[in-house]
């Protein structure tokens, strides 16, 4: 699966492409930081305008909106370019995998579900990596930028349970985000979600294989199809029930998550020790830090799917390696 990074023909795409994508993601984070600063100034201006009639001019107000429009336009252009390049990058990665499988397909074709693994699992792998990979890198970059920013904004602001401690906000974000992630990992482990996803894919592959054979072979009994589909039905019903339990915990956490920043800022809001603009900056920065720390939590259903696809492809490659070793031993 990782020959893309070791083969000479893919060198430019693997390493130069990675560098360009990382740079564009970093620039996106920098623009997001500037947007966060804009929120502070803009909401302070709104507070001033609402507190005293005609305290600001229409030109000042429109200039504030225009400043955001320029930042947003840069962010959109950069995001589109990053998405386009990432899609090409990951298709090349998929192509390197497929070329390897094509080269050994005379052996691989005898392995259960070979066609699905080469065609469907490789495209699922690349598509999942497109979302998860860029999200992971962005989350790390956001933490690097927003941690010190949040600490600076927290100076002199009383935080629930932490008082005036300068690390109070980042500590609260860390405890809440990591606690939620541990909760989701524990639920997924108890409910065996990765194993269920793997079994689901395996039974779907077996069912599809017999359907393909039945297109050309009239001797395939309808009963055989029904027996295989019954296995598909059972595993799907089981997965629906397990994900119901998983989503109870996940959705409950997400609903509470909406209010966490306002809860930890309660002493400062009640005491009125900050302006509306500063509060918006803190809440937005808190959300960015919290969201980055919640990467595993937010991505957990997709990570489960990726783990299942990875497991299938690794199993596929191990079987190919075993076949190759046996052929080498016979020839020797």
């Amino acid at each position: 699966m990782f020959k893309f990074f070791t083969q000479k023909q893919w060198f430019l795409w693997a390493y130069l492409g990675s560098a360009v994508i990382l740079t564009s993601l970093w620039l996106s984070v920098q623009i997001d930081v500037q947007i966060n600063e804009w929120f502070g100034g803009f909401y302070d201006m709104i507070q001033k305008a609402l507190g005293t009639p005609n305290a600001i001019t229409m030109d000042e107000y429109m200039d504030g909106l225009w400043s955001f429009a320029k930042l947003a336009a840069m962010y959109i252009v950069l995001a589109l370019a990053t998405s386009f390049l990432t899609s090409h990058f990951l298709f090349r990665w998929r192509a390197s995998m497929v070329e390897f499988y094509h080269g050994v397909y005379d052996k691989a074709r005898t392995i259960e579900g070979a066609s699905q693994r080469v065609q469907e699992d490789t495209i699922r792998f690349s598509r999942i990596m497109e979302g998860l990979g860029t999200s992971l890198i962005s989350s790390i970059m956001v933490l690097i930028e927003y941690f010190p920013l949040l600490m600076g904004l927290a100076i002199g602001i009383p935080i629930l349970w932490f008082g005036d401690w300068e690390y109070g906000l980042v500590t609260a974000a860390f405890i809440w985000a990591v606690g939620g992630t541990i909760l989701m990992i524990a639920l997924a482990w108890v409910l065996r979600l990765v194993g269920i996803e793997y079994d689901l894919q395996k039974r779907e592959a077996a069912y599809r294989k017999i359907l393909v054979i039945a297109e050309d072979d009239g001797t395939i009994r309808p009963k055989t199809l029904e027996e295989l589909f019954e296995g598909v039905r059972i595993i799907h019903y089981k997965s629906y029930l397990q994900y119901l339990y998983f989503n109870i915990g996940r959705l409950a956490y997400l609903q509470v998550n909406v209010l966490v920043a306002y809860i930890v800022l309660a002493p400062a809001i009640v005491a009125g020790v900050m302006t509306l603009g500063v509060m918006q900056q803190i809440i937005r920065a808190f959300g960015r830090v919290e969201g980055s720390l919640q990467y595993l939590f937010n991505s957990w259903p997709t990570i489960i799917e990726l783990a299942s696809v990875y497991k299938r492809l690794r199993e596929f490659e191990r079987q190919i390696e075993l076949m190759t070793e046996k052929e080498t031993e016979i020839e020797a």
Side-chain angles (χ1 to χ4, degrees):
M1 279 185 287
F2 299 99
K3 296 181 183 295
F4 179 62
F5 297 95
T6 59
Q7 293 177 335
K8 187 176 180 180
Q9 70 181 103
W10 302 107
F11 181 84
L12 283 177
W13 269 105
Y15 294 99
L16 182 60
S18 297
V20 173
I21 291 171
L22 288 172
T23 301
S24 62
L25 288 173
W26 178 253
L27 291 174
S28 296
V29 172
Q30 298 303 310
I31 294 173
D32 191 62
V33 170
Q34 292 181 48
I35 290 175
N36 193 71
E37 293 175 359
W38 175 88
F39 268 99
F42 186 72
Y43 275 94
D44 279 344
M45 181 172 64
I46 288 178
Q47 185 178 32
K48 180 181 177 182
L50 295 177
T52 306
N54 300 314
I56 65 170
T57 66
M58 181 62 74
D59 288 340
E60 289 176 324
Y61 184 76
M62 296 307 294
D63 284 343
L65 295 178
W66 177 243
S67 297
F68 176 81
K70 289 188 288 186
L71 289 172
M74 288 189 290
Y75 187 90
I76 291 170
V77 170
L78 195 57
L80 290 172
T82 303
S83 176
F84 180 80
L85 179 61
T86 302
S87 296
H88 274 272
F89 174 85
L90 287 164
F91 186 84
R92 264 77 175 180
W93 189 346
R94 181 195 175 197
S96 71
M97 295 166 60
V98 168
E99 286 183 4
F100 167 72
Y101 296 144
H102 287 176
V104 294
Y105 203 69
D106 57 329
K107 306 181 189 71
R109 66 183 182 82
T110 61
I111 300 172
E112 178 271 324
S115 60
Q116 182 192 25
R117 302 192 199 205
V118 174
Q119 189 269 327
E120 184 177 329
D121 285 351
T122 55
I123 193 170
R124 288 177 68 195
F125 178 80
S126 62
R127 285 177 176 173
I128 293 172
M129 285 297 294
E130 181 175 358
L132 285 182
T134 53
S135 296
L136 175 61
I137 295 168
S138 294
S139 295
I140 294 171
M141 291 179 176
V142 165
L143 284 177
I144 293 171
E145 283 295 312
Y146 274 95
F147 246 94
L149 176 62
L150 191 59
M151 288 171 59
L153 290 169
I155 295 175
I157 303 294
I159 307 300
L160 191 66
W161 300 308
F162 295 101
D164 294 329
W165 188 39
E166 61 179 322
Y167 301 107
L169 271 175
V170 293
T171 302
F174 181 83
I175 291 173
W176 176 251
V178 173
T181 300
I182 292 172
L183 171 65
M184 291 303 99
I185 292 174
L187 280 174
W189 181 75
V190 170
L191 297 172
R192 289 188 63 254
L193 295 185
V194 173
I196 288 174
E197 186 68 26
Y198 174 80
D199 291 341
L200 191 152
Q201 291 183 25
K202 191 171 182 178
R203 294 192 189 184
E204 286 282 9
Y207 174 59
R208 184 172 65 177
K209 181 177 180 180
I210 199 68
L211 284 176
V212 171
I213 294 174
E215 289 180 4
D216 302 315
D217 187 350
T219 64
I220 298 297
R221 298 177 299 117
K223 186 179 178 181
T224 303
L225 298 176
E226 291 299 326
E227 289 168 353
L228 285 171
F229 188 70
E230 182 61 26
V232 171
R233 180 185 289 111
I234 290 171
I235 193 64
H236 271 284
Y237 287 173
K238 184 178 180 181
S239 73
Y240 299 154
L241 185 61
Q242 300 296 72
Y243 272 100
L244 172 64
Y245 298 143
F246 178 78
N247 285 328
I248 289 172
R250 183 170 180 268
L251 293 176
Y253 175 88
L254 288 174
Q255 288 304 308
V256 177
N257 188 65
V258 174
L259 297 176
V260 170
Y262 295 96
I263 292 172
V264 298
L265 285 174
I269 294 173
V270 172
V273 297
M274 59 183 175
T275 65
L276 180 62
V278 172
M279 187 191 78
Q280 286 295 327
Q281 276 187 286
I282 291 175
I283 289 175
R284 197 170 184 277
F286 185 91
R288 288 290 187 270
V289 170
E290 185 185 46
S292 297
L293 289 170
Q294 289 172 345
Y295 169 79
L296 287 177
F297 177 87
N298 293 324
S299 306
W300 194 248
T302 311
I303 290 173
I304 291 171
E305 185 179 1
L306 177 63
S308 175
V309 172
Y310 177 83
K311 183 177 179 181
R312 283 177 57 79
L313 289 174
R314 283 300 300 147
E315 181 185 75
F316 187 50
E317 292 178 359
R318 279 196 297 269
Q319 291 184 53
I320 293 172
E321 290 168 4
L322 288 173
M323 289 180 175
T324 304
E325 289 174 5
K326 287 179 182 180
E327 287 186 359
T328 303
E329 290 174 2
I330 292 172
E331 289 175 0

